[in-house]
Amino acid sequence: MLDIVRRQLQLSLDTLTKVLHDEAVHQSLLDAARVTAEAMQNGHKLLVCGNGGSAADTQHVVAELVVRLTVDRPALRAIALTTDSSIFTAIGNDYGFEHIFSRQVEALGQPGDVLLAISTSGNSPNCLRALERARALSLTTIAFAGCNGGKMAPLADINVIVPCNVTMNIQESQLALEHIFCMLVERCYFGPAFGK
């Protein structure tokens, strides 16, 4: 059993090490934070969607932005599209589960807003529909994924892709990247001296 613990921790570290040395991931993450902060500075908002563990991540990201990450500061505009059970059960029942996020993007999204879709596979049908709808409404689209980005990659203006095919290891690295994303949004929004 101790071998399992050590092996799994090593796999987690191996994935994080790949992310640490992947300059494309770093640049994409910075680009995602910059466009998000710029949108917020212009009165727009961030919408976030994902399934399962990624749904939990959407709420985590939004909590960090609306509340705070490391220091007190004004709230930032962000909405998790995974929290209203009445809305997404009604959409799922009336239109199909693949529409639970796109319908909310249609209701809440405005040109200039940003949609962040989180998926380990990059192939979640409801995230794909949300990205398509966001593009049609002139939102900037960001995808956090693994597995080479999957079908989400061509639908996103910016892709932050963890170079891994193992769901749990992708999710572990995504959480680290999501925290850094929030930190970078804060720095871009409030200035480079913020949080020092």
Side-chain angles (χ1 to χ4, degrees):
M1 297 295 258
L2 288 174
D3 287 345
I4 293 172
V5 174
R6 294 185 190 100
R7 182 177 70 244
Q8 291 309 125
L9 286 170
Q10 188 60 59
L11 290 170
S12 297
L13 286 170
D14 291 346
T15 304
L16 278 169
T17 300
K18 287 179 187 175
V19 171
L20 174 64
H21 297 292
D22 192 326
E23 294 296 327
V25 172
H26 305 171
Q27 188 60 55
S28 295
L29 191 64
L30 182 55
D31 292 344
R34 282 181 174 148
V35 301
T36 301
E38 183 179 335
M40 290 174 171
Q41 286 169 331
N42 289 322
H44 300 292
K45 61 190 170 296
L46 174 69
L47 304 175
V48 193
C49 65
N51 296 286
S54 298
D57 283 5
T58 70
Q59 293 168 70
H60 192 150
V61 167
V62 168
E64 304 291 18
L65 295 172
V66 171
V67 185
R68 67 180 192 147
L69 183 61
T70 57
V71 297
D72 287 331
R73 43 93 176 143
L76 296 171
R77 290 182 178 97
I79 301 170
L81 302 181
T82 55
T83 59
D84 194 321
S85 59
S86 294
I87 286 177
F88 54 72
T89 55
I91 295 169
N93 186 64
D94 293 354
Y95 297 101
F97 188 71
E98 67 274 17
H99 298 282
I100 63 168
F101 301 136
S102 61
R103 189 75 172 171
Q104 293 183 78
V105 169
E106 182 179 334
L108 301 171
Q110 298 174 313
D113 288 345
V114 178
L115 173 70
L116 167 58
I118 305 171
S119 170
T120 54
S121 68
N123 294 319
S124 302
N126 50 21
C127 288
L128 295 171
R129 292 288 178 98
L131 289 165
E132 290 168 352
R133 192 70 189 127
R135 285 194 129 180
L137 294 172
S138 299
L139 278 69
T140 299
T141 53
I142 302 169
F144 274 41
C147 305
N148 299 314
K151 294 177 183 176
M152 286 183 7
L155 297 173
D157 297 309
I158 301 169
N159 285 282
V160 179
I161 300 171
V162 174
C164 180
N165 294 314
V166 180
T167 297
M168 70 176 83
N169 299 136
I170 295 167
Q171 290 172 329
E172 291 156 357
S173 290
Q174 282 180 329
L175 181 56
L177 292 169
E178 288 155 5
H179 277 139
I180 297 166
F181 168 76
C182 293
M183 182 179 290
L184 292 170
V185 169
E186 287 180 334
R187 297 288 172 91
C188 291
Y189 188 98
F190 295 104
F194 175 82
K196 286 190 174 180

